[in-house]
Structures are given as structure tokens and as C-alpha cells.
Amino acid sequence: MLQNYFKIAVRSIWKHWLFSVINIFGLASGLMVCFLAIAHIKGALDYDNFHPNRSRIYRIVTDIVTKENNKAAFATSPLPLAESLKRDYEFVENSARVVRTYGQVEGNGKQLDFLTFAVDGSFFGLFGYPVASGQIPGEGGTAVISEKTAEKLFGKKNPIGQVLTQEGIGSSVITGVMKNTNVRSHLLYDILFILPKEKISRFAGGKDWQEFSTGYTYVLLKPKISASQLEQVLSAISRRENAKIQLENIKEYSFRAQSLASISPSTEELTNGTYEPPLSGLMAEMGVGLVTLLMAAFNYINLTLARSMSRAREVGIRKTSGALRWQILGQFVAESVILSLLALALAYVMLELVTPMAFVQQWLIGGVVWDLKLWAAFVCFSVVAGLLAGLIPARVLSKFQPAEVLRSQNGLKVIRGISLRKTLIVVQFSISMIAMIALVTMMRQQQYMATGEYGFRSKNVLNIPLGNIPYERLAGEITNLAGVEHVSGISEPFGHHGSTERIKLKRDDSDPVMAFTFDIAPDFIKTLNLSLVSGKDLPKGTASADLILINEEAVRKFNLGGSGDAVGKALWLNDSTEVQIAGVVKDFRFTSFNWKIMPLILRQQTGGVRYMQVAVADGSETTVQAEVKNAWTKLKPYESYEGKWFDDFLYERHAHMEDIRFMALLLGISFSIACLGLLGMVTYSTQTRIKEVGIRKVMGAEVAQIIWLLSRDFVKLLTIAAAIALPLGYMAGYAFLISFAYHVSIGFETLGLCFGVLLVLGGLIISTRTYKAATDNPVKALGNE
């Protein structure tokens, strides 16, 4: 019987090859997106599975209750907790603390930003990160780095034995380099500084039991010790420390153990969380895949029901010959499963094509182990998808009564005469158009941020990372080059988030204002064409040491009156340095477009300058770039030159082209499925009306009249889909834009474009098929029974 089902299914698929291709492509596209989501989910479940003692490692989480009875959970805990657990309880085999550190790391004459942590020496007794070279450090004052970090700092030089320095950490000798593996971990790092116990205990209030937001605590239990024993101890410690608690806004806190295996995916939102993917994000990804697959299933249902009358006659004849309903049901389900298996093969090919994409590697499948379990999940998912897609048409067609279907020409109807297949077409194009409006909005916003007007000069300005080259030395080599208009520098290029400091009008003020501060070099205002609205530019030399420039927003935040009134007034930086306002610059967008314009302070200190900025005259770009590179190479012959035009820097930072390409791929799949479904429906509709078209042509109907007759119902469906999608798409786009302080608008340029694309695609599909039917020879149509 199964063999007969297979033979009939193959013959049916081959006979209606166009509909089969449409169904296979649609199902394969949906399966491919679902496979990416499934692989990501598997990767999330595999986090930290490479540690030898994974089942015995726990992270201590802190739950707090505020005096307003609000609850929150922190992934961090007090630093003394780790020592207390290891010292006082025999069932704890080991413990370690992990503290996030900040600030640039200096090594090999370079100053760069890295993801850094300070850890106990016992850290490597808990975790099993693989070593590429060197050895695991056993004492404080040492560090381990990743292979990528070693390459950035030392190039091909052996980093073992080299010294790294970070503010607050001091000097650390590199003893080991960790492998760049694809294994996934909730703890990501570039550099781990190993500190002595005494030093890490003093780190950021580390001796204070009431400071629970500084570092992470991990414990390794002895074999055969249950988590309940640890929980009992944590409850006792919580009660003991709550009796001493004297925090201003905290009523009480408690500790609980979180097993390493349960950290990823994250099922709750933890303050100071690490790098594990949230469960909600994984479900959203799976939702996108299921919606895509659902659209493909719509096509299958739609096309199968569209051919309902021809299949209904088949059902009638088979029932008349004695076939039972479950046998007919099995036949149609078998066809669906065979199609899904063919779609699985095509989905594999499509998966191989999208796997190299940077977005896919970084955010979805990087580090995922493609083992037999994952492939088995893909196959099972494909079969289940085929069964579910074929179940509805199979049930509908298998319950037709022979007498009714052999004499009746009525189609399938649902609520109040609305055709089910027409409803599915509307749903498909509505989903596709909503996605298109959202994607176009994202693309326009990112293009706006990449090429928008920031208020400072970015065209023909070179950004050159200095490394350990003194600013004055490189500036002396470049200033007099032909084509160079101005030379200056800054601690961090505009368009980035920058760093903030607490600023006060008076040293003893209790309410400081957070302001963005940048160290700059002389001629900065001229180099970036900034506008002074009052006061004067900073003078060159030591006379500028205690002078600053602020923006108009800082004048408002500090309540300094007008811009002219602010000149000459004093401010305190971080409670330690008094400076005087020399001038006020016109407001401009110096950070990301996510934020409104914030208070800005520019202080002339070449010691803090990390990037040189060179303003170049029009027409001299190529020459100056080459000469600047030569000057750099003379000073640093063994380092690569990384100078970049400022407008290119802004474009690369904000365009996110890899993300856009992947989203465009999803949109293309969505529209392809919808358009192929429409093509199949129009093709079938014209085929079933061939005799009608022939009669109308014989009676004198024109080609245009016949085209409109055949296509008007489909045009109505596209119009209905647009009417549904336009407001929903606007809401989806606005939900994305609301997080930006400065953003594009969603108007006719977006909605009109998307509506036009919908009409053009739909119109081409409808018109090409209906024109062919309208221009065919009516004699052939009338002679074909």
C-alpha cells in the first residue's frame, strides 16, 4: 500500500510540475529559516558544555527587594561570598570571582579597548578554557589573552612574557594565550587579569557584603553534592547579612544558586547579565521562521484547494471504486510528505549558501556543532511540517461525497462566501508587505545615520589611530604636506558613544551633571568646522591647560544663562579639577543618533589624544593619503597603517550592511513565496476558464476586456492586502524608530514605494498569465475538453 501511495504521489507531483516547484521552493525557504533558528537554539543549549565539571559549577545570583517592595535579580553577588563559601563549607571544592574592568589596555606601545575581567587564580580550576600557548597562570600579577587580542597587540611577535597595563589593575605579565575556538560561553573576554586575593578583595568595594553589583561569584561543588545543600547555606548567609544591611533603597537581599547548565538560554532578565542569549530572543527568531514556513504551507493548502475540483473528481471515482476515507487521506498526506522531503534537500542547499554570511555566523550559528542530533531534528521537523501542511487539504478532499463532486461545480467556501484560497493570498501579501515596510524603514534610518548631517566636517577628513606615537611627532611630519588644510586630534572620534564625567558648578555640589568629555589637540575647531557662538577658541600651548569649550546644551544643563554669560565661568571635573569656560560651540550631533544632544566638554590635552584628524583640500585626497601613510611607516615600520576617511568611518559604523543583507534575504524569501503562490493561483484560474475565454473571444470580446475579467479579482486581493499592511507596517516601522532621538519619517517615500512594489510584482504576475490566456486561439480553447 505504501508503495502504491509513493508511486501515485510521484506521478501527481510530476504531472503538476509547476505547482510542485512552487510548493517545494516555498517549503524549502521556510524550512531554511526555521533551520537557522533551530541551530541557534541548539547553540544556546550547548553554552559552556566544554567545561569538564559543568554539572558541578554554580553561579550565585542576588535577589533584592527595595523599600517600595519592588523585586529585581542581579547576576552578580558580594565579592566576600566566594571566600566565605570556600573557607567555611567543606562541600565547596573551589570558588572564584570575576569582576568586569574598564579602561584602555596598554601593551607593546599600543593603547586599545578590550573586553577585560579581573579574576582569582582559582578561576582556571573551575573553568576549562583551552590554551593555545603558554600556561595557565598560578598567581596574581599575570594575565591570559585570546589569540585575536594577541594578534591585535603584538602581531606575529610572541606575546608570552610581555606586560599589559590597565588603570586600576597595574602591570600584568602575559603567561598564556587562549584558543580562538568556536565554543560558546556566557563569559566572553579578550583579556583576563589574575589578581591576588587581597587585591581583588579590595577591588571596587570588594570587602563590603552590601556591594552586590560589582562581580560574579562561581562555586564548584564536590562530587555527589546536591544543589539543595548549597541553597540551604545561601539562605543562612542571606539571613545573617540581612540583619546587618544598611542600604538606602534596599530592604533585603537573598542569594540563590544558578547551575552553569541553566544560564543559557536566559529565562529571566538579570541585571548585570553576561553574554548568554535570552529565551525571548530565541523564540522571536523561531517565530520568524514559523511565519515564513506558514506562508509556504498556505501556498500548499491554497494550490491544493485550487485544484480541488479536479482532485474531487479523483476522490469521487476512487470512493466509487471502494476506497475508504483513511486510504484517500493517506494518499494526500503521502504527497505532502514527499514534497517536504524534496524541500528538505533544497533547504540544505539554501542553508549552505547563507551560512557564510557574516550576520549568520556572528548572531545565529557561529560555534554551533552540526552533529547527528541536529540533522535528525531537521529531518523530523521537515516531516512534521509536511504532515501538518497536507493535513487540511487531505481532510477536506477526502470527505467529498462521490455523488456531489461528480455533478457539482461549487468551489470551497468559508465565512460568508469568502474563498479560503483568496484569504490565504491576502494574508501572504499582507505579511510580506509589513516586513517590507519595516525593512525599508530600517534601511532608511541606517542610511540616514551613516550619511546624515552631524554638524561637523566629515568629508575629506582623515582619522588616524596614533597607537603609541606621540601626537606632536606625527603632526610635525604631516602639517606642512601639500593639500593639508588643518591638523588636530581627539581622544575618540565623534559618531561614537564617547566617555562621560561628573561635572559640577561648585566642588561641593551634591547634584552633578553627566557630560561627554573629549581631549582634543590645537586647531580642533578649524579642522572639523565647528561654530563658536560665543567666546574664543582654545589657545595653543600651556595657556589652554585649564580652559575648556562647551556646547549650548551644557549651558542649558548647568543653568549658565545665555551662551555669552557662560564664558569665563568655572566648572569642576570629577571633583578634582577646576576649569574655566573659554567659549561655547554650536550644538551638533557628536554621539550616536540614538541619543539627543548631550552636554559636551572639549579640553585641550594632547596627552589624551588617540586619533589624529587631518583636514584635506578637495582634489588632494589620494596624494595626502599616500604621504601620510609614508610618514606613519617611517615612525612605525612594523605596524600597519589604519587611517580611514571620517565619512567612511561613520558609514561603516552605522550602515550595518551585513544585517540589512540578511533581512533583505528574509524579505526576498517572503515575497517570493507570496508571488509564487499568486502565480500558481492565476495559472490555475486561467486554465479552468479557457473555454469561457474562447467563447467570449468568439462573441467579440477584446483582449483588454478579457485580461481585466481574469485579473480583477486578484487586483482586489492585492488592494485588500495593501489596506491591511500599510497601517500595520507603519506601526512596525515606528516601533523601530522610537528608540532613536533623530530618525527618518515614515511617509509616502516608504509606504508609497512598498505599495508600488506590491502592485508592480502582482501586476506582472497577473498580466503575463492572463495576457497569454487572452491571446490564445479560441478554436484551440473550444476544441479542448
Side-chain angles (χ1 to χ4, degrees):
M1 182 183 294
L2 292 177
Q3 185 178 6
N4 289 334
Y5 284 171
F6 178 79
K7 289 181 179 179
I8 296 172
V10 171
R11 289 169 184 168
S12 177
I13 291 170
W14 181 255
K15 179 179 179 182
H16 305 283
W17 65 269
L18 176 61
F19 301 113
S20 300
V21 168
I22 292 173
N23 285 325
I24 291 171
F25 177 82
L27 289 172
S29 300
L31 288 174
M32 184 269 291
V33 179
C34 286
F35 289 169
L36 289 175
I38 292 171
H40 191 195
I41 292 172
K42 179 186 181 297
L45 296 173
D46 287 343
Y47 265 55
D48 296 299
N49 65 355
F50 60 95
H51 298 297
N53 300 312
R54 182 193 189 202
S55 61
R56 296 192 284 131
I57 299 174
Y58 293 84
R59 180 172 70 179
I60 310 303
V61 175
T62 305
D63 295 310
I64 68 164
V65 179
T66 67
K67 292 185 176 179
E68 293 80 21
N69 289 322
N70 296 320
K71 297 181 179 180
F74 284 72
T76 48
S77 53
L79 293 183
L81 180 59
E83 284 188 291
S84 177
L85 290 170
K86 176 68 171 65
R87 181 184 62 244
D88 300 334
Y89 301 96
E90 292 185 355
F91 63 82
V92 175
E93 182 176 316
N94 211 340
S95 66
R97 294 164 294 184
V98 179
V99 180
R100 178 79 166 92
T101 64
Y102 299 91
Q104 289 185 321
V105 176
E106 183 176 355
N108 195 32
K110 298 180 179 180
Q111 287 184 332
L112 298 173
D113 291 315
F114 292 106
L115 182 60
T116 59
F117 291 90
V119 301
D120 289 311
S122 57
F123 176 87
F124 296 99
L126 273 76
F127 300 104
Y129 292 98
V131 180
S133 62
Q135 60 184 2
I136 297 298
E139 56 185 16
T142 55
V144 296
I145 63 178
S146 67
E147 287 182 307
K148 292 180 181 178
T149 303
E151 186 177 349
K152 283 184 180 180
L153 281 173
F154 304 102
K156 296 182 179 180
K157 185 190 300 184
N158 184 7
I160 305 299
Q162 300 292 325
V163 177
L164 300 178
T165 304
Q166 187 181 51
E167 186 177 356
I169 297 295
S171 298
S172 300
V173 178
I174 300 174
T175 64
V177 177
M178 313 307 285
K179 284 185 180 179
N180 287 338
T181 62
N182 287 327
V183 295
R184 294 188 163 198
S185 174
H186 76 287
L187 277 178
L188 301 178
Y189 65 88
D190 294 318
I191 301 173
L192 293 179
F193 293 106
I194 292 81
L195 299 184
K197 286 187 176 181
E198 311 77 43
K199 189 169 184 178
I200 202 170
S201 295
R202 295 194 301 268
F203 198 90
K207 290 186 177 181
D208 188 357
W209 275 92
Q210 300 183 65
E211 177 53 67
F212 53 79
S213 61
T214 299
Y216 306 91
T217 300
Y218 296 89
V219 295
L220 174 65
L221 301 184
K222 290 182 178 179
K224 299 182 180 180
I225 299 297
S226 66
S228 60
Q229 291 180 257
L230 178 60
E231 292 285 2
Q232 292 175 1
V233 168
L234 292 175
S235 297
I237 295 175
S238 301
R239 289 193 296 271
R240 182 190 73 196
E241 295 304 323
N242 272 316
K244 309 173 186 177
I245 198 166
Q246 295 180 353
L247 294 173
E248 181 178 352
N249 297 318
I250 305 300
K251 182 166 65 175
E252 63 179 22
Y253 64 58
S254 59
F255 307 124
R256 58 184 163 93
Q258 182 183 32
S259 67
L260 190 64
S262 67
I263 289 179
S264 176
S266 174
T267 56
E268 60 179 323
E269 186 174 349
L270 296 177
T271 304
N272 298 338
T274 41
Y275 301 95
E276 62 276 5
L279 182 62
S280 58
L282 296 176
M283 293 301 99
E285 292 170 10
M286 195 66 200
V288 172
L290 290 176
V291 167
T292 309
L293 185 60
L294 185 62
M295 292 176 63
F298 281 177
N299 269 1
Y300 183 84
I301 297 170
N302 210 354
L303 296 177
T304 304
L305 295 181
R307 295 188 290 122
S308 60
M309 294 317 303
S310 61
R311 301 307 298 269
R313 292 190 183 95
E314 175 189 341
V315 171
I317 293 171
R318 293 179 66 181
K319 280 194 171 183
T320 303
S321 302
L324 300 176
R325 183 183 177 187
W326 69 267
Q327 293 173 318
I328 298 173
L329 185 71
Q331 175 62 57
F332 289 121
V333 169
E335 289 183 21
S336 176
V337 171
I338 291 173
L339 279 174
S340 69
L341 292 176
L342 292 173
L344 171 63
L346 180 58
Y348 171 76
V349 175
M350 298 170 71
L351 196 62
E352 289 295 311
L353 294 176
V354 303
T355 294
M357 295 180 67
F359 179 91
V360 175
Q361 285 293 328
Q362 181 177 359
W363 298 109
L364 296 177
I365 63 173
V368 176
V369 179
W370 295 76
D371 54 16
L372 184 61
K373 291 182 180 179
L374 184 59
W375 288 111
F378 288 169
V379 174
C380 292
F381 188 86
S382 302
V383 172
V384 170
L387 287 172
L388 294 178
L391 193 59
I392 294 177
R395 285 178 59 86
V396 172
L397 295 174
S398 64
K399 71 178 182 180
F400 284 162
Q401 297 302 316
E404 180 183 352
V405 298
L406 291 176
R407 69 168 182 263
S408 174
Q409 297 298 316
N410 294 329
L412 294 172
K413 302 289 182 179
V414 288
I415 303 172
R416 295 186 180 179
I418 300 176
S419 171
L420 174 60
R421 52 186 182 270
K422 292 180 181 178
T423 304
L424 296 182
I425 287 178
V426 171
V427 171
Q428 283 183 321
F429 275 95
S430 297
I431 293 173
S432 299
M433 191 171 177
I434 291 169
M436 184 178 184
I437 293 172
L439 179 61
V440 170
T441 301
M442 293 179 191
M443 294 176 65
R444 292 185 62 236
Q445 175 64 21
Q446 291 176 344
Q447 185 71 12
Y448 171 58
M449 293 191 296
T451 61
E453 181 55 51
Y454 281 78
F456 58 84
R457 177 180 178 180
S458 60
K459 183 176 176 56
N460 289 358
V461 174
L462 266 177
N463 272 334
I464 308 169
L466 290 173
N468 64 338
I469 297 179
Y471 169 80
E472 292 84 358
R473 187 174 181 185
L474 185 60
E477 297 281 342
I478 293 175
T479 301
N480 297 322
L481 293 177
V484 172
E485 296 179 340
H486 302 286
V487 176
S488 188
I490 191 171
S491 53
E492 192 164 11
F494 291 147
H496 195 270
H497 292 303
S499 58
T500 58
E501 291 185 20
R502 298 187 308 163
I503 313 298
K504 298 180 179 180
L505 278 174
K506 297 180 181 179
R507 191 170 189 175
D508 56 354
D509 281 351
S510 59
D511 189 19
V513 173
M514 300 304 295
F516 285 86
T517 60
F518 293 85
D519 292 336
I520 60 173
D523 288 333
F524 186 76
I525 298 294
K526 296 177 182 177
T527 303
L528 295 191
N529 284 350
L530 300 181
S531 301
L532 277 170
V533 295
S534 62
K536 298 180 179 180
D537 194 1
L538 299 177
K540 296 182 179 180
T542 57
S544 66
D546 297 324
L547 297 175
I548 61 171
L549 297 174
I550 65 175
N551 65 348
E552 294 172 300
E553 180 63 20
V555 174
R556 288 187 286 271
K557 286 291 186 182
F558 288 110
N559 297 318
L560 298 177
S563 298
D565 300 329
V567 176
K569 292 186 177 179
L571 295 175
W572 282 87
L573 309 181
N574 286 333
D575 300 331
S576 60
T577 306
E578 186 179 24
V579 292
Q580 189 176 36
I581 300 171
V584 178
V585 298
K586 185 178 179 180
D587 280 341
F588 63 96
R589 301 166 183 172
F590 57 89
T591 62
S592 168
F593 279 25
N594 294 70
W595 301 341
K596 291 183 178 179
I597 294 175
M598 306 287 284
L600 169 68
I601 292 178
L602 300 174
R603 190 179 184 193
Q604 194 163 285
Q605 291 188 131
T606 55
V609 170
R610 295 170 49 219
Y611 290 84
M612 176 172 288
Q613 296 184 318
V614 183
V616 181
D618 287 335
S620 303
E621 297 90 347
T622 304
T623 304
V624 170
Q625 175 83 297
E627 293 180 343
V628 168
K629 185 175 182 179
N630 289 335
W632 168 278
T633 304
K634 290 179 183 178
L635 298 175
K636 278 288 183 180
Y638 302 106
E639 301 287 345
S640 60
Y641 170 75
E642 297 179 357
K644 186 175 294 184
W645 296 106
F646 208 161
D647 49 2
D648 291 340
F649 165 80
L650 294 174
Y651 188 86
E652 291 175 6
R653 180 165 186 78
H654 297 293
H656 301 292
M657 291 308 299
E658 290 296 334
D659 299 1
I660 290 294
R661 289 190 186 100
F662 182 72
M663 288 186 287
L665 173 65
L666 294 182
L667 177 63
I669 290 173
S670 174
F671 257 108
S672 297
I673 293 172
C675 290
L676 287 174
L678 180 62
L679 174 63
M681 285 299 301
V682 174
T683 300
Y684 180 78
S685 178
T686 54
Q687 286 177 352
T688 56
R689 301 178 71 178
I690 288 178
K691 291 190 68 174
E692 176 189 349
V693 170
I695 293 171
R696 289 181 179 275
K697 291 190 71 174
V698 170
M699 298 299 293
E702 297 180 357
V703 172
Q705 292 175 316
I706 294 175
I707 290 176
W708 174 244
L709 175 70
L710 295 175
S711 61
R712 62 185 178 186
D713 286 343
F714 295 104
V715 173
K716 290 178 183 177
L717 296 180
L718 296 182
T719 306
I720 294 172
I724 295 172
L726 287 174
L728 294 179
Y730 178 88
M731 293 171 62
Y734 185 76
F736 170 76
L737 294 178
I738 199 170
S739 61
F740 296 92
Y742 306 101
H743 55 75
V744 298
S745 60
I746 305 178
F748 180 77
E749 68 284 345
T750 299
L751 301 179
L753 171 66
C754 297
F755 183 58
V757 170
L758 176 70
L759 289 182
V760 169
L761 287 177
L764 284 174
I765 292 170
I766 295 169
S767 60
T768 52
R769 303 305 297 178
T770 54
Y771 178 79
K772 183 179 184 302
T775 55
D776 278 347
N777 189 338
V779 175
K780 292 182 180 180
L782 293 175
N784 181 26
E785 183 57 53

